[in-house]
């Protein structure tokens, strides 16, 4: 079982839809959870960052962590064509010598 | 403008040749990273460096080598020992040296080996 699982999609939605992107993980020691957004042929950029369980909201984006289920989600409200990108989840324990573990990424396409 | 530059954007090499990918940052960040991205594989860590003249292997270091002689530069050499070198290579840097520090990515270099 891989440490981080993420459905690669692709996921296609109409403009204005609510999008749900998800990752599951196996290492219960993960404490820090991130979502990176990557536009085509570009490097990823940090979108959301959460620590431990709970929700975090930033504009149209909400990151949710459920540590009991080892499940994290990114919700996008009122999706726009400019949201079309690959979304990568990433997580770490932050213990010494550990690295950030990325999911495979989910490709999202929002049509106008 | 502050940021990370990678050059070239596209690189073509013949099998058996070593090739060096450039990564430069002017963010004054301590840590730098090299990742490989393949379709459907996500990002996999090749090497990282937390300080000048020091670096550590990541998950897939075999067939790669790096150097960190200057804080702003972290070149990656893909050697002929790398069995499947064709991929998209991403360089990143972070101000801190822990895995929770935000990583800033360059635009990537797409390497094709035939």
């Amino acid at each position: 079982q891989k440490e981080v699982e993420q459905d690669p999609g692709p996921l296609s939605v109409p403009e204005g839809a609510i999008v749900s992107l998800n990752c599951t993980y196996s290492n219960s020691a993960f404490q820090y959870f991130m979502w990176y957004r990557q536009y085509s042929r570009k490097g990823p950029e940090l979108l959301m960052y959460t620590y431990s369980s709970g929700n975090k909201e930033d504009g149209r984006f909400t990151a949710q962590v459920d540590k009991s289920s080892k499940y994290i989600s990114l919700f996008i409200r009122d999706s726009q064509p400019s949201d079309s990108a690959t979304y990568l989840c990433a997580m770490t324990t932050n213990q010494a010598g550990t690295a950030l573990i990325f999911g495979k990424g989910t490709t999202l396409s929002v049509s106008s | 403008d502050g940021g990370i530059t990678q050059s070239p954007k596209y690189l073509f090499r013949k099998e058996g040749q070593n090739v060096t990918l450039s990564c430069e940052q002017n963010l004054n960040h301590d840590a730098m990273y090299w990742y490989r991205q393949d379709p459907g594989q996500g990002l996999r860590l090749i090497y990282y460096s937390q300080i000048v003249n020091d670096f550590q292997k990541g998950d897939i270091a075999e067939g790669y080598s790096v150097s960190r002689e200057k804080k702003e530069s972290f070149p990656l050499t893909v050697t002929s020992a790398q069995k499947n070198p064709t991929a998209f290579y991403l360089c990143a840097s972070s101000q801190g040296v822990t895995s929770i520090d935000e990583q800033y990515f360059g635009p990537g270099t797409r390497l094709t080996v035939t």
Side-chain angles (χ1 to χ4, degrees):
Chain A
Q1 181 187 14
K2 293 194 181 296
E3 278 197 290
V4 179
E5 300 274 9
Q6 183 176 11
D7 186 342
L11 180 62
S12 296
V13 301
E15 183 176 355
I18 296 174
V19 176
S20 172
L21 304 168
N22 312 294
C23 289
T24 59
Y25 61 94
S26 58
N27 187 349
S28 58
F30 284 142
Q31 294 271 29
Y32 301 85
F33 304 91
M34 303 164 195
W35 286 95
Y36 278 81
R37 178 175 61 195
Q38 184 178 23
Y39 291 113
S40 182
R41 299 188 184 88
K42 303 285 187 185
E45 56 181 351
L46 183 64
L47 187 61
M48 297 284 284
Y49 172 72
T50 53
Y51 169 69
S52 195
S53 283
N55 292 359
K56 184 174 183 178
E57 189 173 318
D58 184 1
R60 296 184 296 109
F61 298 89
T62 299
Q64 193 172 76
V65 175
D66 181 350
K67 291 194 69 182
S68 62
S69 302
K70 298 191 184 73
Y71 188 89
I72 69 170
S73 300
L74 177 70
F75 297 97
I76 307 174
R77 290 183 300 281
D78 187 25
S79 56
Q80 303 295 310
S82 59
D83 295 328
S84 298
T86 296
Y87 291 80
L88 300 127
C89 63
M91 51 198 77
T92 180
T93 65
N94 197 34
Q95 292 168 356
T98 60
L100 197 58
I101 307 299
F102 284 86
K104 293 182 179 182
T106 299
T107 299
L108 171 68
S109 176
V110 181
S111 56
S112 57
Chain B
D1 284 337
I4 300 176
T5 56
Q6 291 185 245
S7 60
K9 192 169 184 177
Y10 298 96
L11 191 54
F12 299 88
R13 280 293 183 270
K14 294 288 188 185
E15 194 173 320
Q17 293 179 335
N18 291 355
V19 59
T20 297
L21 281 58
S22 167
C23 178
E24 303 278 331
Q25 55 102 353
N26 61 3
L27 300 168
N28 199 34
H29 285 174
D30 288 316
M32 297 187 74
Y33 311 80
W34 273 106
Y35 292 90
R36 170 182 172 138
Q37 187 173 32
D38 296 282
Q41 291 290 325
L43 271 64
R44 293 183 290 169
L45 183 64
I46 304 172
Y47 268 99
Y48 66 102
S49 168
Q50 296 174 319
I51 195 170
V52 173
N53 292 323
D54 189 42
F55 46 82
Q56 285 78 41
K57 293 182 180 179
D59 298 323
I60 55 165
E62 186 176 347
Y64 299 98
S65 66
V66 293
S67 63
R68 186 90 187 275
E69 296 177 2
K70 298 186 295 182
K71 187 175 183 178
E72 59 270 24
S73 179
F74 191 40
L76 173 74
T77 296
V78 184
T79 75
S80 56
Q82 167 51 232
K83 296 192 186 328
N84 187 18
T86 294
F88 187 49
Y89 290 88
L90 286 159
C91 178
S93 70
S94 62
Q95 186 167 27
V97 298
T98 69
S99 56
I100 65 170
D101 291 290
E102 180 178 354
Q103 295 186 23
Y104 294 79
F105 286 83
T109 292
R110 189 166 298 278
L111 173 65
T112 302
V113 177
T114 56

